[in-house]
Amino acid sequence: MQRIALTTGVELDVATAGDPAHPPMILLHGFPESHRTWRHVMPDLARDHFVIAPDQRGYAGSSKPEGVSAYTPDKPVADLIALADHFGLDRFTLVAHDWGGAIAWMAALKHPDRIARLVIINAPHPLIFQRTLFDDPAQRAASQYMTAFRNPTLERHIETIGLDAFFDTSFAKHADLAMLADDKPDYLAEWSQPGAMTAMLNWYRASAIIVPAMDETPARPDWLDAPFPPLAMPVLVIWGLRDVALLPSQLDGLDTLVPDLTIARVDAGHFVPWENPDAVIAAIRDWERHQPG
């Protein structure tokens, strides 16, 4: 691990692997993890890539700026570009999961000149996600946890029950607890860093995504039914079909927004990179073999 001070004003802990002369690949984790999301994937990718996996702002030992506004999606996008600049990367492949995927979609839309290829793992395209929160009752129901995470009293509740109980009652119920047993101390150590829990939750609080209540009919944003810019680069979407938080409806209509799209449906829940790392590696390798250049 190395500590890197970025021009955005934060310092990130960053893991790297592979030869810097090889094609670069940046990996972005999601909630509530760290670079360790990629612990079973990095060694294979590092055989022929220079792999960079940061702990994003607010997570683990990286900087935790105060205030919700420090976590609006444009801030981690700026961190990503600054990280690439630090390593002298003009263009790179971006691989991302969960909240990292949300940042990756935005980065690809805002900086198509920097991102040569995009790999998304169980992270919804922003247009499709917001649409389904209005139009798909099942996805709306599955996303009500986001409203709970935005509750400013949640940290007080976590302090009352303890991080160990929060782990078992929230994170672990989306995964096989037996799989997590060896990793639980590492997660708890990351979450117990000063300010970490608030910083992680602030990613939800800073998001502009509207999560209507089940009995609510809010005004529909105009942009949901307006033209949306397509992505130019090749995109691989790897989707764990047993994800109970992000449903397979997130794949419906994605081809109209991503002309050069490959979808790999795999047997996993939400945390695909460690639930089924072999499937992630196989999907990336097969996709790369079919890419020109």
Side-chain angles (χ1 to χ4, degrees):
M1 291 287 287
Q2 55 184 300
R3 185 80 168 183
I4 296 177
L6 299 181
T7 55
T8 54
V10 298
E11 295 183 0
L12 303 185
D13 288 343
V14 181
T16 60
D19 188 337
H22 286 157
M25 181 177 276
I26 299 180
L27 313 181
L28 296 182
H29 68 85
F31 178 93
E33 299 201 81
S34 66
H35 75 282
R36 296 181 58 260
T37 295
W38 311 105
R39 57 197 177 277
H40 305 309
V41 176
M42 279 184 74
D44 186 275
L45 297 178
R47 291 188 294 111
D48 52 5
H49 294 89
F50 178 47
V51 182
I52 302 164
D55 291 340
Q56 298 205 74
R57 66 165 63 202
Y59 288 88
S62 290
S63 293
K64 300 169 184 63
E66 292 186 6
V68 171
S69 64
Y71 299 91
T72 53
D74 59 299
K75 307 299 195 313
V77 168
D79 291 344
L80 167 68
I81 299 304
L83 183 65
D85 290 344
H86 172 85
F87 284 100
L89 309 180
D90 180 42
R91 287 170 62 77
F92 55 92
T93 296
L94 181 58
V95 182
H97 171 252
D98 184 73
W99 257 113
I103 300 310
W105 283 118
M106 179 177 281
L109 288 162
K110 298 289 187 183
H111 302 279
D113 57 319
R114 302 297 298 273
I115 298 166
R117 298 172 182 170
L118 180 64
V119 180
I120 296 287
I121 307 173
N122 282 64
H125 186 284
L127 177 63
I128 294 177
F129 189 41
Q130 187 64 90
R131 272 185 186 165
T132 56
L133 288 172
F134 275 78
D135 301 338
D136 180 355
Q139 183 59 67
R140 186 187 294 198
S143 297
Q144 292 302 306
Y145 74 93
M146 292 181 64
T147 301
F149 282 177
R150 288 169 168 172
N151 188 326
T153 68
L154 182 57
E155 287 92 325
R156 207 151 53 239
H157 169 70
I158 294 170
E159 286 177 11
T160 301
I161 66 172
L163 279 179
D164 196 280
F166 179 70
F167 181 98
D168 292 341
T169 58
S170 61
F171 182 42
K173 72 180 182 180
H174 291 286
D176 182 343
L177 192 54
M179 284 179 61
L180 284 173
D182 292 340
D183 292 306
K184 185 174 181 178
D186 294 299
Y187 282 111
L188 294 180
E190 290 173 353
W191 298 358
S192 62
Q193 296 289 315
M197 190 55 66
T198 293
M200 292 192 295
L201 292 169
N202 277 347
W203 282 58
Y204 288 93
R205 295 163 179 156
S207 169
I209 289 290
I210 301 167
V211 184
M214 294 307 295
D215 59 352
E216 184 183 2
T217 309
R220 186 180 184 87
D222 292 339
W223 65 275
L224 288 189
D225 303 300
F228 199 90
L231 286 180
M233 73 283 295
V235 179
L236 168 64
V237 172
I238 302 171
W239 205 269
L241 294 175
R242 291 188 283 105
D243 191 338
V244 297
L246 296 167
L247 308 183
S249 61
Q250 298 307 315
L251 302 177
D252 296 343
L254 189 55
D255 56 338
T256 65
L257 298 164
V258 184
D260 190 348
L261 174 66
T262 302
I263 298 177
R265 296 170 173 85
V266 303
D267 180 28
H270 177 70
F271 295 96
V272 191
W274 50 259
E275 290 185 51
N276 196 343
D278 290 344
V280 172
I281 293 167
I284 292 174
R285 292 302 189 184
D286 181 65
W287 178 66
E288 285 184 322
R289 280 194 293 272
H290 292 87
Q291 296 301 308

